[in-house]
Amino acid sequence: MMWCATTGADRDALEAGPGLYDASTVIEAPTSKRANQARFETLDGLRAVAFLSVFGYHFGLPVRPVLAWGGVGYRIVPNLDLGVEIFFVLSGFLIFRPFAAANLVGAPRPNLRSYFLRRALRIYPAYWVAFFGLLALGEIQMHGGLRDYLAHLLLVHTYLPERLQTLFDGLGPSWSLVVEVSFYVVVPILAWMLRRAKLVGHVVVLSSLTVSGFVVRYVTIAHPGSGWVKSFLGVLPKAFAALAPGMLLAVASLYPAAKLRRVARPLWIWWGFACVGIAMLMRFAHTSVAASLRDERRFPGVEEWHTIVTPLVAVCLVLPCVLMAHDGALRGIRRLLGSPGFVWLGTVSFGAYLWHQPLLLDTPGDHFALRQSVMARHGVGYALVVGGWVLGVTLLFAALSWYCIERPTQRFARTLTTRK
């Protein structure tokens, strides 16, 4: 999903743009550098929260003791995929903001050579190491031929029509990286199309993209198809339900008007909306797992509810943190999300995102005995201990990925792209 590293000079940040889920790389709006950086200091912590949510989803979904815990586990765990939507909203905000600033407030236009080079070096080296490392450990498998290997290595594999033989090949979370790579390509094109548009034009276009994302989500679930059309719609068009609102937040953050600040200031309203959305999902999200546990029939339309409500919840969580992060109302939130533990976890979250799900899977090379038949014989306490152990191993791999691969490649990218 969307991570990146701290940059140096202001021009460097303007040319490169922010990176894959990196809150510390931000485009300078026409305000002081110090004030602008303070506005987004909570986003690293939000990335950490998003990763922990996704980890809980992938860990708890196949573990019956966790799902059956207290009669509410089956309502909570299937909705923890909300973390992916938070990642997408953050990505839309961070990646589009330099281009929006160039179009709307006269900031220097991002250098496309630097932009694409940094995006490629940000994702592919760490992804390739994780891919081949997990393949060597037996934690992932590949059943296809050369075409399938190339598609996975280039992160275009979800555009291919699904085949039962290769449906579960490669890294499970890499589907979202395909979305990211596609988004990186589309953003400069969209920004060029909007180069002469004013604020209203940006809002209208991005709002239309948001609506189209929700429509595609509904159509692809309510009327499932197959083939190339379904594969295309299921990648970037579907993700615009979360990416486009993040882009709208990027535009709004360039205009810290008093009215906008008053709208964003009541944190309890926005996070209250998020809690209402989560409560709705917990009440009505009778997933197939929940139905098997509770012997209840599955209500029609549940998947549509889930896929439409989760982006709205993510937007409500992120909005105050990007529009009012410098306000005193968020002092406690800044202290929590800006704590060293959350910041570090947010920093290494890309590597953690790559490694965690294959390590949790029950595969022929499984090193953690996470088989459903084994886990079903134990209680929640045992399951949480095992989950904590896997989380620790995941963070070890994530730290190695960050310090040995991601950070050096980012420094190399800055060396290649920084102008004298």
Side-chain angles (χ1 to χ4, degrees):
M1 318 228 20
M2 311 106 215
W3 296 256
C4 101
T6 306
T7 60
D10 296 348
R11 181 176 295 276
D12 197 28
L14 286 166
E15 293 175 349
L20 195 64
Y21 288 176
D22 185 1
S24 53
T25 304
V26 294
I27 177 73
E28 295 295 336
T31 57
S32 71
K33 177 180 178 181
R34 179 177 302 177
N36 192 273
Q37 288 178 336
R39 291 177 64 85
F40 310 113
E41 62 187 4
T42 59
L43 299 194
D44 277 320
L46 275 179
R47 285 189 297 148
V49 172
F51 165 71
L52 291 175
S53 176
V54 174
F55 181 89
Y57 174 80
H58 285 139
F59 168 69
L61 200 59
V63 179
R64 189 180 181 92
V66 175
L67 285 171
W69 173 73
V72 296
Y74 82 101
R75 296 188 182 273
I76 297 174
V77 173
N79 294 312
L80 292 179
D81 60 346
L82 169 67
V84 176
E85 307 291 1
I86 296 176
F87 279 136
F88 281 149
V89 174
L90 290 175
S91 185
F93 173 78
L94 291 168
I95 298 301
F96 186 66
R97 196 166 190 269
F99 296 92
N103 285 349
L104 296 173
V105 297
R109 195 165 298 278
N111 181 279
L112 293 186
R113 175 181 172 274
S114 300
Y115 168 79
F116 284 115
L117 180 61
R118 294 191 183 203
R119 293 301 92 230
L121 291 179
R122 183 65 189 96
I123 292 184
Y124 285 109
Y127 169 70
W128 288 337
V129 170
F131 180 88
F132 287 111
L134 289 164
L135 195 63
L137 291 173
E139 294 288 347
I140 62 172
Q141 302 178 54
M142 290 292 295
H143 298 94
L146 178 61
R147 186 196 73 161
D148 296 283
Y149 270 92
L150 290 177
H152 278 267
L153 292 176
L154 295 176
L155 288 173
V156 295
H157 53 281
T158 56
Y159 282 106
L160 304 179
E162 294 178 350
R163 293 181 298 166
L164 185 61
Q165 178 191 14
T166 60
L167 185 59
F168 299 104
D169 281 358
L171 276 71
S174 63
W175 70 267
S176 61
L177 299 183
V178 180
V179 174
E180 285 293 321
V181 171
S182 304
F183 183 60
Y184 295 160
V185 174
V186 167
V187 163
I189 300 174
L190 181 63
W192 179 81
M193 295 173 62
L194 293 171
R195 67 191 186 283
R196 299 186 185 281
K198 302 299 182 181
L199 174 61
V200 174
H202 280 72
V203 171
V204 169
V205 171
L206 296 179
S207 299
S208 301
L209 281 178
T210 302
V211 173
S212 69
F214 283 107
V215 171
V216 169
R217 288 189 177 215
Y218 179 82
V219 170
T220 54
I221 293 176
H223 306 283
S226 60
W228 293 95
V229 174
K230 178 186 176 183
S231 299
F232 171 77
L233 292 177
V235 184
L236 188 59
K238 184 178 179 179
F240 269 127
L243 289 168
M247 299 165 76
L248 280 169
L249 290 179
V251 172
S253 68
L254 297 172
Y255 296 91
K259 290 183 179 180
L260 182 64
R261 295 174 66 88
R262 284 197 296 269
V263 170
R265 183 179 175 84
L267 175 67
W268 65 272
I269 292 181
W270 295 104
W271 284 18
F273 284 148
C275 290
V276 170
I278 293 172
M280 290 175 57
L281 294 174
M282 291 176 60
R283 173 64 181 86
F284 297 109
H286 292 259
T287 63
S288 57
V289 176
S292 65
L293 284 174
R294 305 273 295 191
D295 295 325
E296 296 174 350
R297 68 180 180 88
R298 188 176 180 182
F299 293 108
V302 168
E303 286 189 72
E304 292 91 323
W305 268 101
H306 181 85
T307 194
I308 288 177
V309 171
T310 47
L312 299 176
V313 173
V315 171
C316 290
L317 290 173
V318 174
L319 184 147
C321 293
V322 299
L323 297 185
M324 292 298 300
H326 191 50
D327 192 87
L330 293 187
R331 188 178 298 110
I333 301 300
R334 286 204 305 272
R335 188 177 299 113
L336 174 63
L337 297 181
S339 62
F342 274 94
V343 170
W344 183 85
L345 181 55
T347 301
V348 304
S349 59
F350 181 42
Y353 186 80
L354 290 174
W355 286 87
H356 82 281
Q357 195 251 6
L359 295 178
L360 290 169
L361 286 178
D362 178 14
T363 58
D366 186 19
H367 292 78
F368 298 100
L370 292 174
R371 299 172 180 85
Q372 295 187 37
S373 58
V374 174
M375 299 297 289
R377 297 198 299 266
H378 297 84
V380 177
Y382 175 84
L384 293 180
V385 169
V386 174
W389 162 238
V390 180
L391 178 60
V393 174
T394 298
L395 294 182
L396 174 61
F397 281 113
L400 292 173
S401 176
W402 169 252
Y403 292 111
C404 299
I405 302 169
E406 298 168 52
R407 189 166 67 173
T409 55
Q410 289 180 67
R411 289 174 175 172
F412 178 64
R414 287 196 294 273
T415 300
L416 291 178
T417 57
T418 300
R419 297 176 180 176
K420 294 183 180 180

